[in-house]
Amino acid sequence: MNILVIGEPVNLQECHHKFGDKHIYSRVDEHRDAEKFLRNSDLVFDFIIEEEVHQFEIYNEYAATAFINTCKVSLGELVHLTDHALQSTIFGFNGLPTFLSREVMEVSLWKPEDEPRLRKICGDLKTDFLLVDDRVGLVTPRVVCMIINEAYYTVQDGTATRKDIDLAMKLGTNYPYGPFEWCQRIGVKHVYELIEALYDDTKDERYKICPLLKKEYLKS
């Protein structure tokens, strides 16, 4: 399978690790450079659409099959930009750093009738998947980033240190990483921007960003 990765070198590495080396991979940094690869690509993994939302129109111009990183922007919002004139078959996926390597790939549908095609693709990629609603934050990123935000509030209030919080979460909940370890792996930029997108989408007070997290984001 010819797989085009739109994103950074680390995203290409994650695809290699997740799907193996039997596929042929190409990578571009920007969507405008992707056009010359789209016609010959069987599958696209777009990790950076939230950086270039206006470039989503390429999926109207080409009949591609694409997994779109919809942690910070939903498929519905993206398709709305094209006036629903979409040539490609698209799926949302959890493309935040470290999450693609999980055993189960988190996926959302734009059209319910595309589910059989999704099953076929995931079978070819030899990966399990879990269907989730097309909402900003999906499921796992929403939960993990909320925990990280609350951990920042705890440190800001002087209740516990970062080291203590990480250790307590790993021992008490059997999480693979503590909140601050996870934040470092995901990147404070992604964590901040995802929570910001959640608040914009829901106006729910739970997603108000901790000032300490915002301070670190502005320094990053």
Side-chain angles (χ1 to χ4, degrees):
M1 189 180 297
N2 291 316
I3 298 177
L4 172 63
V5 176
I6 305 177
E8 301 175 359
V10 66
N11 302 135
L12 178 60
Q13 293 170 9
E14 287 182 308
C15 286
H16 268 287
H17 181 263
K18 175 69 174 175
F19 307 120
D21 296 328
K22 70 175 184 177
H23 306 290
I24 300 171
Y25 296 91
S26 303
R27 185 188 70 84
V28 294
D29 295 303
E30 299 178 347
H31 291 87
R32 61 184 177 184
D33 296 327
E35 297 186 23
K36 55 180 173 287
F37 293 95
L38 282 173
R39 293 187 189 280
N40 297 317
S41 296
D42 300 307
L43 198 59
V44 178
F45 278 88
D46 187 341
F47 288 85
I48 59 170
I49 191 63
E50 79 278 0
E51 306 283 352
E52 303 179 330
V53 173
H54 62 285
Q55 294 289 355
F56 187 75
E57 63 187 19
I58 67 170
Y59 298 110
N60 182 37
E61 297 169 3
Y62 296 90
T65 300
F67 285 86
I68 311 293
N69 183 2
T70 51
C71 289
K72 303 176 193 175
V73 57
S74 68
L75 287 177
E77 292 175 88
L78 292 169
V79 174
H80 182 73
L81 296 176
T82 67
D83 294 325
H84 298 77
L86 197 65
Q87 298 297 318
S88 296
T89 300
I90 58 169
F91 307 101
F93 85 109
N94 179 2
L96 285 184
T98 76
F99 284 100
L100 185 61
S101 60
R102 298 173 70 227
E103 185 176 345
V104 178
M105 188 164 68
E106 202 167 309
V107 183
S108 62
L109 292 173
W110 172 241
K111 295 180 179 178
E113 58 265 33
D114 290 334
E115 184 174 349
R117 188 167 184 178
L118 172 64
R119 293 189 180 278
K120 173 64 167 59
I121 292 169
C122 288
D124 292 341
L125 293 173
K126 300 190 183 310
T127 183
D128 290 330
F129 69 93
L130 175 68
L131 278 179
V132 301
D133 193 22
D134 177 37
R135 289 290 303 275
V136 170
L138 300 175
V139 175
T140 309
R142 178 187 296 244
V143 172
V144 170
C145 289
M146 278 184 66
I147 290 171
I148 292 171
N149 194 44
E150 289 299 320
Y152 269 93
Y153 272 117
T154 302
V155 170
Q156 179 177 274
D157 294 340
T159 306
T161 67
R162 299 179 190 225
K163 184 177 179 180
D164 288 342
I165 293 170
D166 279 346
L167 182 61
M169 289 296 291
K170 286 191 288 186
L171 294 178
T173 64
N174 202 31
Y175 279 12
Y177 313 113
F180 294 100
E181 291 175 312
W182 225 326
C183 185
Q184 185 176 22
R185 289 172 178 268
I186 298 170
V188 68
K189 174 181 181 292
H190 291 301
V191 172
Y192 176 90
E193 291 177 354
L194 186 140
I195 299 172
E196 184 177 48
L198 281 169
Y199 185 74
D200 287 344
D201 182 54
T202 66
K203 303 306 180 188
D204 192 320
E205 294 295 311
R206 291 180 300 169
Y207 303 120
K208 278 204 167 181
I209 297 171
C210 174
L212 180 60
L213 174 57
K214 182 176 181 178
K215 182 178 180 180
E216 292 192 6
Y217 164 75
L218 293 174
K219 287 183 176 180
S220 64

